[in-house]
Amino acid sequence: MSDITTAKQKQKLALDKYGQQPDGTSLLWAKHHLVEDLEEVIHFMSGDRLIDGLMLPRFGVLSLILRTTPCYVYGHPALKKKCRTAFTDGVHVFICDEFYEKLLTDVRESKGSEYGIEPLVLHELMHKMFNHVGRLNQFPKDLANRAADYSINVKLRTGFPELEWCKSLRETGLGFKPGDVEKYLPLSEESIARELLAEDMKKRQQKDQNQQGQGQGQCQGQKQGQGQSQGKGQPGKGQPGQGQPGQGQPGDEQDAGENGQDQQPGGDFGGEDDDHLVS
């Protein structure tokens, strides 16, 4: 009885937070025509093709993995707070409905010369195949995600050159700049992560040096101003209006809370907040 009560409470809380499931949608609130389109794509991608007189999986081992990988389109707000493109938990593949429609638009505008859903699904399958969800834990999560994306995209571009990625994938995705294939293709994800970490540290050091230089210039200006204003009275330590080093100013806690609260991820594939790996 308690389990039933708990289930009803959870259902009520979900209704209060997200509202009723829209009509004509799947359990994950995706429109049925998108679900049907994904089923057709999966049927095509997991099938075989004639290669040198032999019928082989269309995308090699990735086609075999796809045959046992449940794939879903979602429109539920709770999942969109996690990701607005696509992600995997190491078992399933999930694609946001808005991003799905965006890729379909790209394909239509290219008159069928470019692919959207196919390379996206291959990308997520590569995350699954190389165990990226449970790997690279020694690196910051965002950096690990970037390293995995670089590794995957240059491999897919090299392995399947006949797939022309649509603009929403190639313009924001990682690994599409000139020289990226030559740079990242020979490297493991761990090696790429180390290089990215070194680059990030170098950028932070440069930023700290620039800020330190600006701070020294401001201190010199303040000393000159204080010398001119001696004898006119200055606020003592702890008096209102004078911030002390290491002490927060009024409103700091509120601002920090507002900045870190319920921030929605962006919808750019490969963006800084685009996380394809959700445990």
Side-chain angles (χ1 to χ4, degrees), residues 22-119:
D23 294 334
T25 62
S26 67
L27 289 177
L28 295 182
W29 295 23
K31 296 177 181 177
H32 287 311
H33 76 275
L34 296 180
V35 176
E36 294 171 357
D37 187 86
L38 180 59
E39 290 176 352
E40 293 180 5
V41 171
I42 292 173
H43 178 74
F44 165 76
M45 293 181 64
S46 60
D48 299 327
R49 65 172 175 170
L50 188 64
I51 303 177
D52 297 332
L54 298 174
M55 293 299 294
L56 299 173
R58 187 176 303 278
F59 294 101
V61 67
L62 294 176
S63 291
L64 300 179
I65 294 174
L66 181 58
R67 294 174 187 177
T68 58
T69 300
C71 299
Y72 305 97
V73 185
Y74 65 86
H76 198 285
L79 288 175
K80 288 185 177 182
K81 285 185 178 181
K82 290 287 186 182
C83 180
R84 300 187 78 89
T85 56
F87 69 91
T88 178
D89 59 355
V91 179
H92 316 79
V93 168
F94 301 87
I95 306 174
C96 179
D97 57 354
E98 296 173 356
F99 192 65
Y100 199 107
E101 290 179 332
K102 187 178 182 180
L103 298 185
L104 291 181
T105 300
D106 283 357
V107 173
R108 285 194 295 268
E109 291 178 351
S110 73
K111 297 182 179 180
S113 63
E114 298 176 350
Y115 293 85
I117 307 303
E118 291 85 352

Side-chain angles (χ1 to χ4, degrees), residues 66-268:
L66 181 58
R67 294 174 187 177
T68 58
T69 300
C71 299
Y72 305 97
V73 185
Y74 65 86
H76 198 285
L79 288 175
K80 288 185 177 182
K81 285 185 178 181
K82 290 287 186 182
C83 180
R84 300 187 78 89
T85 56
F87 69 91
T88 178
D89 59 355
V91 179
H92 316 79
V93 168
F94 301 87
I95 306 174
C96 179
D97 57 354
E98 296 173 356
F99 192 65
Y100 199 107
E101 290 179 332
K102 187 178 182 180
L103 298 185
L104 291 181
T105 300
D106 283 357
V107 173
R108 285 194 295 268
E109 291 178 351
S110 73
K111 297 182 179 180
S113 63
E114 298 176 350
Y115 293 85
I117 307 303
E118 291 85 352
L120 178 66
V121 171
L122 291 175
H123 179 99
E124 299 306 325
L125 290 174
M126 290 276 280
H127 278 307
K128 177 180 178 178
M129 182 172 70
F130 288 106
N131 189 31
H132 287 160
V133 173
R135 196 171 161 190
L136 306 173
N137 291 330
Q138 69 270 38
F139 299 100
K141 185 168 173 42
D142 59 337
L143 189 143
N145 185 71
R146 285 163 52 203
D149 277 8
Y150 272 120
S151 177
I152 285 174
N153 291 343
V154 297
K155 285 182 173 65
L156 288 177
R157 290 179 59 199
T158 305
F160 305 104
E162 71 278 9
L163 281 182
E164 183 65 33
W165 295 46
C166 68
K167 63 180 182 181
S168 292
L169 295 177
R170 68 174 184 267
E171 290 181 357
T172 61
L174 302 177
F176 290 88
K177 293 181 179 179
D180 280 351
V181 171
E182 294 77 11
K183 180 178 181 180
Y184 295 115
L185 186 60
L187 302 179
S188 68
E189 292 87 329
E190 287 80 3
S191 296
I192 296 174
R194 292 188 191 97
E195 287 204 2
L196 295 177
L197 184 60
E199 292 174 3
D200 288 352
M201 290 180 64
K202 186 176 180 180
K203 290 178 182 178
R204 283 198 297 267
Q205 290 174 354
Q206 185 63 44
K207 183 178 179 181
D208 292 341
Q209 290 176 358
N210 293 338
Q211 291 178 346
Q212 187 177 7
Q214 294 176 357
Q216 289 176 352
Q218 292 175 356
C219 287
Q220 291 176 357
Q222 290 176 356
K223 288 180 179 178
Q224 292 176 357
Q226 289 175 357
Q228 295 173 358
S229 62
Q230 281 182 353
K232 295 182 180 180
Q234 298 179 3
K237 291 184 179 179
Q239 291 184 0
Q242 183 176 4
Q244 302 298 320
Q247 294 181 352
Q249 296 299 313
D252 285 354
E253 297 84 356
Q254 182 179 359
D255 292 341
E258 291 174 354
N259 291 336
Q261 185 178 11
D262 292 335
Q263 289 189 356
Q264 294 285 344
D268 288 337

